[in-house]
Amino acid sequence: MSNLKFVSRGNGTVGKSRIYLLYHEEDFEAHVRPLMEQILALQDCLIFYRDPKSNETDALDEPTIRRFQLMIVLVTESLLLRPQEHFADELQLAEQCNVPMLPILTDTGLLDLYTQCFENIQFLARDNHDPTAIPYE
């Protein structure tokens, strides 16, 4: 996991859940940083992510994927319209390794594109205004 960075709430890494955050590098400043802050406010865990400035484009390998308890996929227009090759490979590998995936949709206007890419995988929507729905947080 040397090509990955991670953040956590406090000191130490022992005994913390490991989450892999998959995203399109264009979304790092606008969406990824705030999402990491939201997650860490709720859960003391390790969030691993690719350095957006890195030139590394290879997909993560199976032993690395198996180390994660959860893969969060930040679903934005950039991810859906301009996917990188490793996105599909990592999603497929996570599924094969039984690593749960949690797609987070940034805009419900992307629902049609989301369905084309992810089919029937359930997601959380950050902009859901349905009062009967479970809150995003």
Side-chain angles (χ1 to χ4, degrees):
M1 289 194 292
S2 60
N3 63 337
L4 298 178
K5 291 188 167 197
F6 74 89
V7 296
S8 69
R9 183 190 309 170
N11 296 332
T13 59
V14 177
K16 294 184 180 183
S17 297
R18 294 171 178 257
I19 297 171
Y20 178 53
L21 180 54
L22 182 64
Y23 66 94
H24 193 282
E25 63 271 0
E26 290 178 11
D27 299 315
F28 190 78
E29 291 300 324
H31 296 287
V32 175
R33 283 189 189 272
L35 177 59
M36 287 192 289
E37 290 172 10
Q38 290 173 343
I39 293 168
L40 292 173
L42 297 169
Q43 181 70 36
D44 189 10
C45 60
L46 301 173
I47 303 173
F48 289 82
Y49 63 98
R50 288 179 184 273
D51 182 351
K53 297 176 183 133
S54 172
N55 293 329
E56 176 103 19
T57 58
D58 293 338
L60 298 181
D61 59 11
E62 182 176 342
T64 302
I65 292 284
R66 286 189 183 280
R67 293 181 180 164
F68 300 116
Q69 283 79 40
L70 177 67
M71 177 185 284
I72 295 177
V73 183
L74 184 64
V75 183
T76 62
E77 187 173 18
S78 299
L79 182 94
L80 294 171
L81 294 179
R82 294 181 299 278
Q84 305 297 326
E85 283 296 316
H86 66 266
F87 291 164
D89 293 342
E90 289 176 2
L91 289 169
Q92 184 178 41
L93 193 54
E95 187 175 356
Q96 290 171 357
C97 294
N98 295 316
V99 174
M101 283 185 275
L102 176 60
I104 298 179
L105 195 60
T106 58
D107 179 2
T108 53
L110 301 172
L111 194 53
D112 288 339
L113 279 173
Y114 173 85
T115 304
Q116 289 173 20
C117 294
F118 289 86
E119 297 176 352
N120 62 352
I121 296 176
Q122 293 184 359
F123 61 89
L124 289 179
R126 288 179 23 181
D127 69 344
N128 189 355
H129 302 291
D130 180 355
T132 63
I134 296 173
Y136 164 75
E137 292 77 18

